[in-house]
Amino acid sequence: MNHPQHETESNAPSTTDLLTLLDYFADAWNRHDLDALMSMMTDDCVFEASAGPYADGQRSEGKPAVRAAYAAVFDTFPDAHWAHPGHFVAGNRGVSEWTFTGTRTDGTRVEVKGCDLFTFRDGHIAIKNSFRKNRPAV
């Protein structure tokens, strides 16, 4: 599914366009659709995962690295789902809040609330910075 590109006269996407982009992005995550996810990101995109060895999690840069990081999420949680996504946009920044549920391949189950902070450029996602609650798996 392609996202709409209704550019305003200033050639900048409207708040409505960016909210629609975030709706499509959330839907693509729940479909585990890597092609759709990557179509919504800039070529030089950045993904900062909520977990990883650094204070900012694990940072992936560029489409190949970001795609691999997204695929790793689906490999780790084959039933990954982000429920009740809610979004807001201010200028070139946006936020999505959600409840993540998933079962790791070892059978442990995760349910946590989290959010993504976005930076947009030219109607695409340039940076996706994820945060989620730290709750032990059940």
Side-chain angles (χ1 to χ4, degrees), residues 77 100-104 108-112 132 135-138:
F77 296 97
F100 172 79
T101 56
T103 308
R104 289 188 179 99
T108 56
R109 183 119 176 102
V110 174
E111 179 182 21
V112 293
R132 67 180 196 187
R135 181 181 183 196
V138 291

Side-chain angles (χ1 to χ4, degrees), residues 18-56:
L18 294 174
L19 288 168
T20 299
L21 173 70
L22 292 178
D23 282 338
Y24 285 138
F25 196 69
D27 183 59
W29 273 99
N30 284 326
R31 291 191 329 267
H32 297 199
D33 187 339
L34 289 170
D35 290 336
L37 290 169
M38 299 316 300
S39 76
M40 294 179 241
M41 307 212 51
T42 62
D43 288 339
D44 62 345
C45 59
V46 172
F47 170 47
E48 293 180 346
S50 58
Y54 307 106
D56 60 357

